Amino acid sequence: MKNLRHVMMSGLIGGVLLTSCQQQTPYPVFFLSEGSAEGTTAKFIVNYNGHTYDKMPIINHTHLDSYHSFMDMSAGSYGVVFTLKPEMRSRLAAATTNKQGLLLLPVVNGLAFQPVRIDRPITDGKLVIWSGLNGYDLKQLARNIRPEDPEREKKRFIDKNPRPLPKLDNKVKKPQHKDHTGRTIGELYASGI
């Protein structure tokens, strides 16, 4: 009996270690909807550039089926069109029906990008980040979200992130609210979402 428990525990620990080594760290993508701070505690909202967003995303990277990138020549960076999984399209349509006139804030790996105004319900299952991504972002996205044209995307990949990381104060353990571009949302790092 003692040997059986030892074998079972060894198998369980080995399985956990093997699973954790095989898992890829996701490159988080969130879409936060503008909300109201009235009657809401700070734990549930994110303030960014004078607007309040619900901390719980309406869509995240687990809901995305594929993506394709495009070059924004005016900004010298890439934009991305995400296509949602079919089962998530009705969720996006319902959420955007109720949020018409408000902003939708894209966040990739803790960096906020240009918000878009929801002018109509999004029924086609597509969400767009218009610019600001680099080849490193595209490479990291491809690890967890299927590129629609893998050969074209591979030509845009770069191995190192040219975007400087936010500097941390030695006394403070969480990232600053904004990096030098003003785009980091530090609250997302600590929120666990």
Side-chain angles (χ1 to χ4, degrees), residues 73-112:
M73 298 304 266
S74 63
S77 62
Y78 295 106
V80 174
V81 178
F82 294 106
T83 303
L84 271 70
K85 294 177 180 175
E87 63 272 17
M88 298 309 298
R89 293 178 185 181
S90 60
R91 174 183 176 159
L92 178 62
T96 53
T97 297
N98 296 331
K99 301 276 186 174
Q100 287 186 59
L102 300 177
L103 295 174
L104 193 61
L105 179 69
V107 179
V108 177
N109 199 35
L111 293 177

Side-chain angles (χ1 to χ4, degrees), residues 147-157:
E148 290 177 12
D149 185 350
E151 291 305 314
R152 183 185 65 198
E153 296 301 332
K154 281 183 186 177
K155 293 176 184 173
R156 296 177 173 176
F157 291 169

Side-chain angles (χ1 to χ4, degrees), residues 133-147:
L133 296 164
N134 59 42
Y136 179 81
D137 296 318
L138 299 179
K139 184 174 184 176
Q140 297 306 311
L141 289 175
R143 294 175 72 191
N144 297 288
I145 304 167
R146 180 180 58 84

Side-chain angles (χ1 to χ4, degrees), residues 37-189:
E38 294 176 19
T40 308
T41 65
K43 291 181 180 182
F44 301 107
I45 60 170
V46 173
N47 292 311
Y48 180 72
N49 281 351
H51 294 273
T52 301
Y53 296 90
D54 296 330
K55 195 178 238 185
M56 182 59 69
I58 62 170
I59 294 295
N60 68 41
H61 57 274
T62 63
H63 304 140
L64 303 174
D65 181 48
S66 63
Y67 80 91
H68 73 270
S69 63
F70 58 90
M71 182 59 138
D72 176 10
M73 298 304 266
S74 63
S77 62
Y78 295 106
V80 174
V81 178
F82 294 106
T83 303
L84 271 70
K85 294 177 180 175
E87 63 272 17
M88 298 309 298
R89 293 178 185 181
S90 60
R91 174 183 176 159
L92 178 62
T96 53
T97 297
N98 296 331
K99 301 276 186 174
Q100 287 186 59
L102 300 177
L103 295 174
L104 193 61
L105 179 69
V107 179
V108 177
N109 199 35
L111 293 177
F113 290 83
Q114 181 64 41
V116 294
R117 187 151 314 270
I118 303 169
D119 59 353
R120 60 178 174 78
I122 302 173
T123 57
D124 63 356
K126 296 192 184 291
L127 288 168
V128 179
I129 298 175
W130 290 104
S131 67
L133 296 164
N134 59 42
Y136 179 81
D137 296 318
L138 299 179
K139 184 174 184 176
Q140 297 306 311
L141 289 175
R143 294 175 72 191
N144 297 288
I145 304 167
R146 180 180 58 84
E148 290 177 12
D149 185 350
E151 291 305 314
R152 183 185 65 198
E153 296 301 332
K154 281 183 186 177
K155 293 176 184 173
R156 296 177 173 176
F157 291 169
I158 58 174
D159 291 328
K160 294 188 180 189
N161 189 358
R163 186 183 295 122
L165 297 174
K167 295 191 188 284
L168 300 178
D169 182 355
N170 291 337
K171 297 176 186 173
V172 179
K173 296 297 180 197
K174 65 180 183 179
Q176 296 174 349
H177 293 292
K178 296 180 183 178
D179 66 5
H180 76 287
T181 63
R183 294 195 305 172
T184 298
I185 301 181
E187 295 91 343
L188 291 179
Y189 287 101

